[in-house]
Amino acid sequence: MNRRDFFKTLAVATFATEFGRITPIFSGEDVPHDPNLIAIFSDTHLHGPETTQHVVRFKKCVNKILAMNPLPANLLIYGDVAYLQGKIEEYQLFRELIKPIEAAGIKWEIAMGNHDRIANYREIFPERFTNQPIEDRYVNIVATPHADFILLDSYLEGQVKGWISPEQRTWLEGVVKTYDKKPFFVGCHHPLKETELAELLKSCPKCVAYLHGHHHYYRTPIDRDMRTICFPSVGHWGDMGFVMANLTETEATFTPDIDEYQWSKYGYVKEPEKNVEEYMAQLNANSPVFTLP
Protein backbone atom coordinates (compact mmCIF):
# COMPACT_ATOMS: atom_id res chain seq x y z
CA MET A 1 0.00 0.00 0.00
CA ASN A 2 1.52 3.33 -1.01
CA ARG A 3 1.30 6.58 0.92
CA ARG A 4 -1.58 8.01 -1.09
CA ASP A 5 -3.68 4.87 -0.78
CA PHE A 6 -2.93 4.56 2.94
CA PHE A 7 -3.91 8.09 3.85
CA LYS A 8 -7.06 7.78 1.75
CA THR A 9 -8.20 5.25 4.35
CA LEU A 10 -7.88 7.85 7.10
CA ALA A 11 -10.63 10.44 7.47
CA VAL A 12 -8.69 13.66 8.09
CA ALA A 13 -10.60 16.27 10.07
CA THR A 14 -10.56 20.01 9.48
CA PHE A 15 -8.31 21.78 11.95
CA ALA A 16 -7.05 25.26 12.87
CA THR A 17 -3.47 26.19 13.71
CA GLU A 18 -1.81 28.75 15.95
CA PHE A 19 1.86 28.44 16.86
CA GLY A 20 1.71 24.78 15.98
CA ARG A 21 -1.52 24.08 17.83
CA ILE A 22 -3.90 21.96 15.80
CA THR A 23 -7.37 21.18 17.06
CA PRO A 24 -9.24 18.30 15.39
CA ILE A 25 -12.98 18.70 15.00
CA PHE A 26 -13.48 15.42 16.82
CA SER A 27 -11.81 13.84 19.83
CA GLY A 28 -10.43 10.40 20.57
CA GLU A 29 -13.61 9.55 22.44
CA ASP A 30 -15.54 9.70 19.17
CA VAL A 31 -13.15 7.62 17.08
CA PRO A 32 -12.30 3.90 17.29
CA HIS A 33 -8.75 2.71 17.86
CA ASP A 34 -7.15 0.25 15.46
CA PRO A 35 -4.69 -2.05 17.29
CA ASN A 36 -2.99 -2.76 13.95
CA LEU A 37 -2.08 0.90 13.39
CA ILE A 38 1.10 2.20 15.06
CA ALA A 39 2.36 5.78 14.83
CA ILE A 40 6.15 6.14 14.96
CA PHE A 41 8.13 9.24 15.99
CA SER A 42 11.86 9.74 16.49
CA ASP A 43 14.28 12.51 17.46
CA THR A 44 11.79 15.01 18.82
CA HIS A 45 14.50 16.97 20.73
CA LEU A 46 11.94 18.85 22.81
CA HIS A 47 12.94 22.05 24.57
CA GLY A 48 12.14 25.70 24.94
CA PRO A 49 8.92 27.72 24.84
CA GLU A 50 5.78 26.96 22.91
CA THR A 51 6.99 28.76 19.80
CA THR A 52 10.21 26.71 19.49
CA GLN A 53 10.37 24.77 16.20
CA HIS A 54 10.61 21.42 17.98
CA VAL A 55 7.48 22.04 20.04
CA VAL A 56 5.51 23.42 17.11
CA ARG A 57 6.37 20.44 14.94
CA PHE A 58 5.68 17.92 17.70
CA LYS A 59 2.20 19.35 18.10
CA LYS A 60 1.68 19.34 14.34
CA CYS A 61 2.60 15.65 14.05
CA VAL A 62 0.58 14.70 17.13
CA ASN A 63 -2.50 16.37 15.80
CA LYS A 64 -2.16 14.79 12.38
CA ILE A 65 -2.46 11.54 14.28
CA LEU A 66 -5.43 12.81 16.30
CA ALA A 67 -7.16 13.68 13.04
CA MET A 68 -7.09 10.06 11.87
CA ASN A 69 -10.08 7.77 11.80
CA PRO A 70 -9.49 5.17 13.07
CA LEU A 71 -6.84 6.27 15.55
CA PRO A 72 -3.68 4.21 16.02
CA ALA A 73 -3.65 2.23 19.24
CA ASN A 74 0.04 2.95 19.88
CA LEU A 75 2.67 5.66 19.43
CA LEU A 76 6.34 4.62 19.59
CA ILE A 77 9.15 7.19 19.90
CA TYR A 78 12.61 5.92 18.92
CA GLY A 79 14.78 8.10 21.10
CA ASP A 80 16.13 11.59 21.66
CA VAL A 81 12.89 12.79 23.18
CA ALA A 82 14.91 15.49 24.96
CA TYR A 83 17.04 18.13 23.30
CA LEU A 84 20.73 17.71 24.18
CA GLN A 85 21.27 16.53 27.76
CA GLY A 86 17.93 15.08 28.84
CA LYS A 87 17.07 17.82 31.33
CA ILE A 88 14.23 17.32 33.78
CA GLU A 89 12.41 20.35 32.40
CA GLU A 90 12.48 18.79 28.93
CA TYR A 91 10.73 15.67 30.21
CA GLN A 92 8.29 17.92 32.06
CA LEU A 93 7.58 19.58 28.71
CA PHE A 94 7.16 16.15 27.10
CA ARG A 95 4.68 15.14 29.80
CA GLU A 96 2.55 18.14 28.88
CA LEU A 97 2.86 17.64 25.13
CA ILE A 98 1.95 13.94 25.28
CA LYS A 99 -1.31 14.61 27.16
CA PRO A 100 -3.44 14.89 23.98
CA ILE A 101 -2.20 11.44 22.93
CA GLU A 102 -3.13 10.04 26.33
CA ALA A 103 -6.49 11.83 26.32
CA ALA A 104 -7.26 10.22 22.96
CA GLY A 105 -6.66 6.78 24.46
CA ILE A 106 -3.46 6.13 22.50
CA LYS A 107 -0.78 4.20 24.38
CA TRP A 108 2.80 5.40 23.97
CA GLU A 109 6.34 4.23 24.67
CA ILE A 110 9.87 5.52 24.06
CA ALA A 111 13.39 4.23 23.59
CA MET A 112 16.37 6.01 25.16
CA GLY A 113 18.57 8.03 22.78
CA ASN A 114 22.01 9.53 23.26
CA HIS A 115 20.46 12.89 24.21
CA ASP A 116 18.16 11.30 26.80
CA ARG A 117 18.98 10.70 30.45
CA ILE A 118 17.27 7.78 32.13
CA ALA A 119 17.48 9.18 35.68
CA ASN A 120 15.72 12.41 34.71
CA TYR A 121 13.14 10.54 32.64
CA ARG A 122 12.44 8.33 35.67
CA GLU A 123 12.03 11.44 37.82
CA ILE A 124 9.12 12.62 35.65
CA PHE A 125 7.70 9.20 34.67
CA PRO A 126 8.32 6.93 37.71
CA GLU A 127 5.25 4.85 36.89
CA ARG A 128 6.96 3.54 33.75
CA PHE A 129 9.73 1.81 35.72
CA THR A 130 7.58 -0.56 37.77
CA ASN A 131 8.48 -3.74 35.89
CA GLN A 132 11.81 -2.96 34.22
CA PRO A 133 13.80 -6.22 33.94
CA ILE A 134 17.28 -4.63 33.76
CA GLU A 135 18.66 -2.22 36.34
CA ASP A 136 19.55 1.23 34.96
CA ARG A 137 18.19 0.35 31.51
CA TYR A 138 14.83 1.06 29.90
CA VAL A 139 13.47 -1.74 27.69
CA ASN A 140 9.93 -2.55 26.65
CA ILE A 141 7.84 -4.91 24.56
CA VAL A 142 4.81 -3.34 22.87
CA ALA A 143 2.37 -6.02 21.78
CA THR A 144 0.06 -5.72 18.80
CA PRO A 145 -2.21 -8.45 17.37
CA HIS A 146 0.06 -9.50 14.50
CA ALA A 147 3.59 -8.57 15.65
CA ASP A 148 5.37 -7.20 18.71
CA PHE A 149 7.82 -4.29 18.91
CA ILE A 150 10.83 -4.78 21.20
CA LEU A 151 12.35 -1.43 22.22
CA LEU A 152 15.91 -1.48 23.54
CA ASP A 153 18.10 1.06 25.36
CA SER A 154 21.20 1.97 23.32
CA TYR A 155 22.29 4.98 25.41
CA LEU A 156 26.03 5.10 26.11
CA GLU A 157 26.94 7.72 28.70
CA GLY A 158 29.00 10.60 27.31
CA GLN A 159 28.88 9.29 23.73
CA VAL A 160 26.96 10.09 20.57
CA LYS A 161 27.27 6.48 19.43
CA GLY A 162 25.20 3.73 20.96
CA TRP A 163 25.63 0.20 22.27
CA ILE A 164 23.74 -2.66 23.86
CA SER A 165 25.01 -3.63 27.32
CA PRO A 166 25.89 -7.30 28.05
CA GLU A 167 23.00 -7.55 30.53
CA GLN A 168 20.59 -6.21 27.95
CA ARG A 169 21.88 -8.57 25.26
CA THR A 170 21.39 -11.52 27.61
CA TRP A 171 17.84 -10.36 28.31
CA LEU A 172 17.14 -9.99 24.58
CA GLU A 173 18.53 -13.45 23.82
CA GLY A 174 16.10 -14.93 26.31
CA VAL A 175 13.16 -12.92 24.99
CA VAL A 176 13.59 -13.77 21.31
CA LYS A 177 13.71 -17.49 22.13
CA THR A 178 10.07 -17.22 23.21
CA TYR A 179 8.98 -16.02 19.76
CA ASP A 180 8.39 -19.30 17.97
CA LYS A 181 5.04 -18.27 16.47
CA LYS A 182 4.54 -14.51 16.60
CA PRO A 183 6.63 -12.11 14.45
CA PHE A 184 8.49 -9.25 16.09
CA PHE A 185 10.47 -6.10 15.30
CA VAL A 186 13.54 -5.06 17.27
CA GLY A 187 14.69 -1.48 17.50
CA CYS A 188 16.21 1.32 19.51
CA HIS A 189 17.62 4.77 18.85
CA HIS A 190 20.91 3.76 17.25
CA PRO A 191 21.58 1.91 13.97
CA LEU A 192 22.36 -1.77 13.66
CA LYS A 193 26.09 -1.23 13.15
CA GLU A 194 26.43 0.34 16.59
CA THR A 195 24.27 -2.13 18.50
CA GLU A 196 25.93 -5.17 16.88
CA LEU A 197 22.72 -7.19 16.97
CA ALA A 198 22.69 -8.36 13.36
CA GLU A 199 23.88 -11.92 13.92
CA LEU A 200 21.56 -12.50 16.86
CA LEU A 201 18.51 -11.18 14.99
CA LYS A 202 19.30 -13.02 11.76
CA SER A 203 19.24 -16.24 13.76
CA CYS A 204 15.62 -15.57 14.76
CA PRO A 205 13.13 -16.76 12.09
CA LYS A 206 10.37 -14.52 13.47
CA CYS A 207 12.40 -11.29 13.47
CA VAL A 208 10.96 -9.07 10.71
CA ALA A 209 13.25 -6.01 10.67
CA TYR A 210 15.38 -3.63 12.72
CA LEU A 211 14.00 -0.13 13.42
CA HIS A 212 15.91 2.95 14.59
CA GLY A 213 16.29 6.73 14.55
CA HIS A 214 19.39 8.88 15.26
CA HIS A 215 20.31 9.96 11.71
CA HIS A 216 17.27 12.21 11.09
CA TYR A 217 16.88 10.81 7.58
CA TYR A 218 14.19 8.43 6.35
CA ARG A 219 15.88 5.43 4.74
CA THR A 220 14.98 1.74 4.29
CA PRO A 221 18.24 -0.06 3.47
CA ILE A 222 19.43 -3.63 3.78
CA ASP A 223 22.08 -3.49 6.51
CA ARG A 224 24.20 -6.55 7.34
CA ASP A 225 21.71 -8.70 5.43
CA MET A 226 18.82 -7.34 7.51
CA ARG A 227 15.97 -5.10 6.43
CA THR A 228 16.00 -1.87 8.42
CA ILE A 229 14.18 1.45 8.66
CA CYS A 230 15.74 4.71 9.83
CA PHE A 231 12.94 7.05 10.91
CA PRO A 232 12.85 10.80 10.23
CA SER A 233 13.12 13.44 12.92
CA VAL A 234 9.83 14.89 14.07
CA GLY A 235 11.17 18.43 14.13
CA HIS A 236 14.89 19.00 14.68
CA TRP A 237 16.61 18.84 11.26
CA GLY A 238 16.88 16.56 8.24
CA ASP A 239 13.78 14.76 6.96
CA MET A 240 11.00 15.88 9.31
CA GLY A 241 7.74 14.07 9.93
CA PHE A 242 6.65 10.65 11.16
CA VAL A 243 5.77 7.14 9.95
CA MET A 244 2.63 5.02 10.26
CA ALA A 245 2.80 1.22 10.46
CA ASN A 246 -0.21 -0.78 9.29
CA LEU A 247 -0.15 -4.51 10.16
CA THR A 248 -2.22 -7.36 8.80
CA GLU A 249 -1.92 -11.10 9.40
CA THR A 250 0.62 -11.37 6.60
CA GLU A 251 2.21 -7.94 6.07
CA ALA A 252 3.47 -4.78 7.76
CA THR A 253 3.44 -1.59 5.68
CA PHE A 254 5.34 1.49 6.83
CA THR A 255 4.01 4.75 5.37
CA PRO A 256 5.91 8.03 5.83
CA ASP A 257 4.42 11.48 6.27
CA ILE A 258 7.39 13.80 5.73
CA ASP A 259 6.29 17.40 5.24
CA GLU A 260 9.44 19.44 5.82
CA TYR A 261 13.17 19.24 5.15
CA GLN A 262 15.87 21.22 6.93
CA TRP A 263 19.49 20.94 5.98
CA SER A 264 22.08 20.69 8.74
CA LYS A 265 25.87 20.59 8.73
CA TYR A 266 25.57 17.66 11.17
CA GLY A 267 23.76 15.47 8.67
CA TYR A 268 25.38 13.04 6.26
CA VAL A 269 23.19 14.14 3.36
CA LYS A 270 23.97 17.48 1.75
CA GLU A 271 21.27 20.02 1.06
CA PRO A 272 19.43 18.71 -2.02
CA GLU A 273 20.38 20.54 -5.18
CA LYS A 274 17.03 19.55 -6.62
CA ASN A 275 13.69 20.93 -5.56
CA VAL A 276 12.98 20.11 -1.92
CA GLU A 277 9.35 19.30 -2.74
CA GLU A 278 10.54 16.68 -5.24
CA TYR A 279 12.95 15.30 -2.66
CA MET A 280 10.19 14.91 -0.07
CA ALA A 281 7.86 13.39 -2.67
CA GLN A 282 10.48 10.70 -3.33
CA LEU A 283 10.72 9.99 0.40
CA ASN A 284 6.96 9.79 0.80
CA ALA A 285 6.72 7.37 -2.11
CA ASN A 286 8.88 4.90 -0.17
CA SER A 287 6.44 2.68 1.76
CA PRO A 288 8.20 -0.62 2.42
CA VAL A 289 6.11 -3.75 2.89
CA PHE A 290 7.46 -6.50 5.16
CA THR A 291 6.17 -10.05 4.99
CA LEU A 292 5.35 -11.32 8.47
CA PRO A 293 6.91 -14.79 8.89
Side-chain angles (χ1 to χ4, degrees), residues 18-146:
E18 179 185 2
F19 297 119
R21 296 175 180 172
I22 305 175
T23 305
I25 61 174
F26 48 74
S27 70
E29 295 178 354
D30 306 314
V31 184
H33 295 76
D34 186 342
N36 299 309
L37 282 179
I38 302 97
I40 298 172
F41 286 6
S42 189
D43 296 274
T44 60
H45 292 276
L46 294 170
H47 75 108
E50 194 166 287
T51 54
T52 301
Q53 169 183 304
H54 309 78
V55 175
V56 170
R57 283 206 50 84
F58 186 89
K59 290 181 177 181
K60 181 177 182 179
C61 291
V62 161
N63 284 282
K64 280 188 175 182
I65 292 169
L66 297 183
M68 294 178 179
N69 186 359
L71 290 167
N74 289 282
L75 166 65
L76 309 181
I77 306 178
Y78 278 82
D80 280 359
V81 171
Y83 185 50
L84 292 179
Q85 296 177 332
K87 297 179 180 178
I88 285 181
E89 55 264 37
E90 291 164 351
Y91 295 120
Q92 291 172 329
L93 173 62
F94 174 58
R95 184 177 270 290
E96 290 301 311
L97 294 177
I98 204 67
K99 283 182 178 178
I101 289 290
E102 295 174 334
I106 300 172
K107 298 178 182 179
W108 62 270
E109 193 51 81
I110 76 165
M112 287 284 135
N114 51 290
H115 291 296
D116 290 308
R117 299 294 184 269
I118 190 170
N120 290 342
Y121 180 72
R122 184 191 287 116
E123 181 77 16
I124 304 304
F125 295 97
E127 70 278 6
R128 293 186 168 260
F129 286 81
T130 303
N131 297 311
Q132 281 296 310
I134 307 170
E135 186 175 359
D136 296 325
R137 288 288 164 183
Y138 190 70
V139 297
N140 289 281
I141 300 174
V142 177
T144 76
H146 301 307

Side-chain angles (χ1 to χ4, degrees), residues 141 148 229 252 272:
I141 300 174
D148 290 354
I229 300 180

Side-chain angles (χ1 to χ4, degrees), residues 7-279:
F7 283 102
K8 279 183 179 179
T9 67
L10 305 176
V12 180
T14 302
F15 46 77
T17 65
E18 179 185 2
F19 297 119
R21 296 175 180 172
I22 305 175
T23 305
I25 61 174
F26 48 74
S27 70
E29 295 178 354
D30 306 314
V31 184
H33 295 76
D34 186 342
N36 299 309
L37 282 179
I38 302 97
I40 298 172
F41 286 6
S42 189
D43 296 274
T44 60
H45 292 276
L46 294 170
H47 75 108
E50 194 166 287
T51 54
T52 301
Q53 169 183 304
H54 309 78
V55 175
V56 170
R57 283 206 50 84
F58 186 89
K59 290 181 177 181
K60 181 177 182 179
C61 291
V62 161
N63 284 282
K64 280 188 175 182
I65 292 169
L66 297 183
M68 294 178 179
N69 186 359
L71 290 167
N74 289 282
L75 166 65
L76 309 181
I77 306 178
Y78 278 82
D80 280 359
V81 171
Y83 185 50
L84 292 179
Q85 296 177 332
K87 297 179 180 178
I88 285 181
E89 55 264 37
E90 291 164 351
Y91 295 120
Q92 291 172 329
L93 173 62
F94 174 58
R95 184 177 270 290
E96 290 301 311
L97 294 177
I98 204 67
K99 283 182 178 178
I101 289 290
E102 295 174 334
I106 300 172
K107 298 178 182 179
W108 62 270
E109 193 51 81
I110 76 165
M112 287 284 135
N114 51 290
H115 291 296
D116 290 308
R117 299 294 184 269
I118 190 170
N120 290 342
Y121 180 72
R122 184 191 287 116
E123 181 77 16
I124 304 304
F125 295 97
E127 70 278 6
R128 293 186 168 260
F129 286 81
T130 303
N131 297 311
Q132 281 296 310
I134 307 170
E135 186 175 359
D136 296 325
R137 288 288 164 183
Y138 190 70
V139 297
N140 289 281
I141 300 174
V142 177
T144 76
H146 301 307
D148 290 354
F149 291 77
I150 301 174
L151 278 67
L152 303 175
D153 183 345
S154 57
Y155 168 70
L156 180 58
E157 184 175 0
Q159 301 289 326
V160 174
K161 67 181 180 179
W163 79 315
I164 297 298
S165 64
E167 297 82 4
Q168 191 174 180
R169 182 182 292 271
T170 299
W171 173 82
L172 180 62
E173 289 173 348
V175 167
V176 298
K177 288 178 181 178
T178 68
Y179 281 86
D180 56 346
K181 294 181 180 179
K182 192 176 185 182
F184 65 93
F185 295 86
V186 170
C188 59
H189 181 66
H190 290 87
L192 191 58
K193 177 182 178 180
E194 297 180 23
T195 60
E196 299 182 344
L197 292 174
E199 295 307 314
L200 169 61
L201 300 183
K202 284 190 293 184
S203 69
C204 303
K206 291 297 181 178
C207 183
V208 184
Y210 181 85
L211 311 175
H212 69 95
H214 191 55
H215 292 313
H216 296 217
Y217 291 102
Y218 175 63
R219 300 291 185 269
T220 59
I222 302 294
D223 185 3
R224 287 152 184 78
D225 298 321
M226 281 207 68
R227 295 190 72 179
T228 69
I229 300 180
C230 178
F231 297 118
S233 168
V234 164
H236 192 25
W237 52 259
D239 306 332
M240 295 196 290
F242 65 99
V243 174
M244 291 296 300
N246 183 18
L247 278 62
T248 69
E249 290 184 0
T250 58
E251 293 181 340
T253 302
F254 289 79
T255 306
D257 186 339
I258 297 168
D259 62 354
E260 192 170 344
Y261 171 83
Q262 186 175 101
W263 179 80
S264 170
K265 65 181 180 180
Y266 300 108
Y268 59 78
V269 175
K270 294 181 179 179
E271 187 171 12
E273 296 178 359
K274 57 190 173 186
N275 184 282
V276 171
E277 293 296 327
E278 293 179 357
Y279 171 72

